[in-house]
Amino acid sequence: MPHPPEALAAALRRQASFCTELGSPLWSEAMEAVAADIETGGKFGPLLAGWEGDLERGVLALRLFGGFHYMALAGKAPALAAQLPSCGGTKDGPLWSALCEALVEHGDLLRGFLDHPPQTNEVGRSAIFLGGFLEIAARSGLPLALYEIGASAGLNLCWDRFAYRLGAHRWAGTDPALTLTADWRGPPPRLDMRPIVASRQACDRRPIRLAEPEARLCLQAMSGPSISTASRISAPPWRWHATWRFGSRRPTLWTGSPGASPHDRRARRW
């Protein structure tokens, strides 16, 4: 059943508080404004009225604002893009009017985004995985076989291709594509270990194919708009290429040279 306006507004405000805590004041302000608009019978009520997902788990606000961010990144909403650092803009104008303009001009696109669960592929999570994988490698002495369910674009399967600054501690894979910085409390991880990853396999109901520019744009749209363009990765920085193959009931992620088939001898299975 459709949700009543007060429930929709409460969901927007709940997500706004999370955005404030996580350092995304732009979206926090905008979500509060949308919540107020819904309560007063404004433009956003009809847009969201037909969505019947779980307001607790379905993160409706992130779906909606992922759509707004996509339009700004894709050049479809220039007035909105002008106020978002992620698009090279600055917050110095009426954000609310820009959102309303985008809604009027691209309402169907926003409705489409409501059907897509957010996929952020936050590689910062790899900083957590690193400590565990180093410890497992130290205790077992064996190569690692990685399996991930709900892998999205599979970026966190590549944790050993990043460099890490964990407080005072440092660890880096071979020719790292990027550097992750995180706090670290307690004893240091096993920084002397160099785990061997023997295989990487993953599946996802809606896999993101990073070789496609549109897929990368959708992935960026689900991240915060406060990140400047200089901090973004517009294409995979590593020299390997990933494709998804759905030849069986269990999707498998393969890696190899650009354009290689999973059956090519140059490709290796992960």
Side-chain angles (χ1 to χ4, degrees):
M1 294 179 59
H3 302 288
E6 57 271 19
L8 293 172
L12 267 295
R13 288 204 166 93
R14 184 165 54 249
Q15 190 62 50
S17 68
F18 295 150
C19 288
T20 298
E21 293 175 8
L22 296 174
S24 185
L26 275 176
W27 270 181
S28 178
E29 173 191 338
M31 289 176 189
E32 288 282 359
V34 171
D37 177 79
I38 293 173
E39 291 173 331
T40 57
K43 304 177 180 65
F44 282 87
L47 172 70
L48 303 178
W51 192 77
E52 299 183 1
D54 188 325
L55 287 179
E56 290 289 337
R57 300 180 180 179
V59 287
L60 174 61
L62 294 185
R63 296 172 188 240
L64 173 63
F65 281 86
F68 277 126
H69 199 190
Y70 169 84
M71 288 191 291
L73 290 166
K76 298 178 183 294
L80 179 59
Q83 299 185 57
L84 304 182
S86 58
C87 303
T90 56
K91 175 60 176 71
D92 57 2
L95 179 60
W96 175 247
S97 64
L99 292 171
C100 291
E101 179 182 321
L103 169 61
V104 171
E105 295 182 359
H106 302 287
D108 289 341
L109 189 152
L110 286 172
R111 288 187 184 88
F113 255 82
L114 298 183
D115 294 330
H116 294 278
Q119 297 194 28
T120 58
N121 241 235
E122 297 171 7
V123 292
R125 296 168 181 164
S126 288
I128 301 173
F129 301 151
L130 176 68
F133 287 136
L134 294 181
E135 187 65 27
I136 291 170
R139 294 189 184 190
S140 69
L142 298 173
L144 304 177
L146 307 179
Y147 301 86
E148 185 177 4
I149 298 173
S152 189
L155 297 184
N156 282 301
L157 280 169
C158 306
W159 58 271
D160 59 325
R161 311 213 176 154
F162 306 147
Y164 298 84
R165 295 175 181 171
L166 307 175
H169 314 300
R170 302 288 184 270
W171 191 91
T174 302
D175 192 17
L178 55 86
T179 299
L180 300 175
T181 301
D183 293 332
W184 187 275
R185 298 186 180 93
R190 293 295 301 269
L191 301 174
D192 58 314
M193 296 304 302
R194 311 296 300 179
I196 297 174
V197 178
S199 64
R200 312 171 203 251
Q201 297 187 55
C203 63
D204 196 281
R205 294 177 64 185
R206 292 176 178 266
I208 295 178
R209 299 165 175 84
L210 284 180
E212 302 173 3
E214 180 70 10
R216 295 198 297 270
L217 193 63
C218 288
L219 190 63
Q220 289 180 9
M222 290 299 178
S223 61
S226 299
I227 303 175
S228 68
T229 51
S231 302
R232 291 190 174 274
I233 298 174
S234 59
W238 26 81
R239 290 187 296 274
W240 38 264
H241 177 75
T243 59
W244 286 92
R245 181 173 66 93
F246 289 92
S248 63
R249 293 173 59 189
R250 185 177 68 182
T252 303
L253 184 64
W254 296 76
T255 184
S257 59
S261 161
H263 304 291
D264 193 307
R265 288 189 300 174
R266 295 173 297 170
R268 63 182 177 86
R269 185 178 179 182
W270 36 297

